[in-house]
Amino acid sequence: MRILIIGCGNMAGGFDAGRPADAPPLTHAGAFARHGGFSLLACVDPDEIRRDEFAARWNVPRNAASVADLNARRGDFDIISICSPTALHPEHLAAALELEPRLIFCEKPVTPGLAQTEAWVQACEDKGILLAINHTRRWAPDVRRLADELAGNAWGRIRSVVGHYNKGILNNGGHMIDLLHLLLGRLELVQTGQPSWDFWDTDPTVPAMLRAGDVPVSLNVAHAADYAHFELQLITEKGIVTMEDGGMNWRVRHAIASPHFKGYHALNEGTRTAGQYPQAMLAAATNLHAAVTNGDALASDGRSALAAQHICEQIRLSAIGSAST
């Protein structure tokens, strides 16, 4: 499949620079190259040095400062990856739609604004163009297994859930809300706490209380200036499951008969295992290929991303309104 990548930064290919050749790919270009069913035909970036380095690393034959400068025609590309800054996504979605690929693979958030995102999701549907959004954990094999286990009642009732994040309710918080949607179902906002602007001027990091049915969900914050932090803990009837380090590690503790107090139950010491988050991008490429060739459902699409952004916008507006009164 013929690929155009718009934006040549970290998620496009930069995070794979300097990694061992056999390491799991963490980027669009890395995943497309490893999969074997794709051909990187062109890339676009206004930074000439970064663009040239990207093209050389990934053996991309065509590159230009803008989509217009490529002089591409409709149907030249099967998939267009949008890896540019979020503020440029509307411009690049418009350019991608003009070229009529079979699928657009866009970094999250789709756009900075909810109404804009709704419009672009609808525009892709109107043109019959598949839209995949890189909420990466939806492709991680261990996250998918956990979702299946929870749906199959393997952990019994979910008692409560606690998440920690930083760097903006829409940017990193959007990943958390989307993950919660996958694992728990749709969320409702209960209340928000004091916002902090720890990275973005327009996207505060906000603590919030939510619920998924009768399951209480607490969304707590860290500060982006300290360190990256994205973790999730599920308290269930049969034990506690914790995603650590953004999915790089998991800790699982099971309920057992208490070794100290007869008739009571306690948690065992548990196990800590390496997560499969590094496998997510290659799994995404596989899913995209199957969606285009076989009509398989996308694990993460415009509608699931839009649902997450709805909740993020509710949280943002509630927090800003509370902070101003």
Side-chain angles (χ1 to χ4, degrees), residues 296-321:
D296 286 16
L298 288 167
S300 179
D301 61 19
R303 289 293 164 185
S304 63
L306 184 58
Q309 192 164 347
H310 268 288
I311 299 296
C312 292
E313 184 69 355
Q314 289 178 21
I315 292 172
R316 186 185 71 86
L317 292 176
S318 174
I320 291 174

Side-chain angles (χ1 to χ4, degrees), residues 13-258:
F15 283 136
D16 283 324
R19 284 167 57 80
D22 59 349
L26 303 178
T27 66
H28 290 236
F32 289 140
R34 181 70 62 84
H35 182 275
F38 303 92
S39 175
L40 295 170
L41 289 189
C43 63
V44 165
D45 196 292
D47 186 318
E48 183 177 4
I49 295 175
R50 181 167 58 196
R51 183 177 75 241
D52 287 346
E53 289 177 349
F54 181 91
R57 173 175 176 77
W58 300 105
N59 299 313
V60 182
R62 298 170 60 190
N63 72 82
S66 69
V67 176
D69 290 341
L70 271 180
N71 294 317
R73 298 171 298 178
R74 286 183 175 87
D76 275 358
F77 306 105
D78 297 299
I79 294 177
I80 297 178
S81 272
I82 297 177
C83 305
S84 53
T86 303
L88 298 177
H89 285 185
E91 172 190 340
H92 292 150
L93 283 162
L97 283 174
E98 284 294 317
L99 293 175
E100 297 183 358
R102 300 168 74 180
L103 183 147
I104 295 172
F105 187 21
C106 186
E107 277 300 309
K108 60 80 210 164
V110 183
T111 76
L114 180 60
Q116 280 185 314
T117 296
E118 289 176 332
W120 287 112
V121 169
Q122 188 62 53
C124 288
E125 292 178 354
D126 290 345
K127 279 209 165 189
I129 295 172
L130 296 172
L131 177 61
I133 307 302
N134 194 20
H135 280 124
T136 321
R137 290 168 188 83
R138 281 185 176 260
W139 284 291
D142 45 14
V143 173
R144 303 298 303 190
R145 282 197 303 273
L146 177 59
D148 289 341
E149 289 172 2
L150 294 173
N153 206 37
W155 287 93
R157 290 177 61 84
I158 303 172
R159 304 301 189 185
S160 65
V161 177
V162 179
H164 292 87
Y165 81 105
N166 54 17
K167 204 176 178 182
I169 183 58
L170 180 57
N171 284 272
N172 280 3
H175 273 302
M176 181 64 75
I177 296 298
D178 182 74
L179 176 60
L180 291 167
H181 275 168
L182 174 66
L183 298 178
L184 307 178
R186 292 301 172 90
L187 298 168
E188 295 179 55
L189 177 62
V190 177
Q191 67 181 62
T192 57
Q194 183 70 28
S196 65
W197 282 262
D198 63 335
F199 193 85
W200 309 96
D201 292 337
T202 58
D203 185 21
T205 299
V206 182
M209 292 297 299
L210 306 105
R211 62 172 175 251
D214 61 354
V215 178
V217 178
S218 174
L219 197 60
N220 299 319
V221 301
H223 199 287
D226 301 332
Y227 41 77
H229 191 52
F230 187 99
E231 297 194 347
L232 183 68
Q233 185 176 69
L234 296 96
I235 313 297
T236 78
E237 182 180 356
K238 297 182 180 181
I240 297 178
V241 181
T242 306
M243 169 193 279
E244 299 178 342
D245 309 321
M248 292 295 185
N249 293 285
W250 291 81
R251 187 179 181 210
V252 177
R253 302 170 70 191
H254 292 278
I256 59 171
S258 172

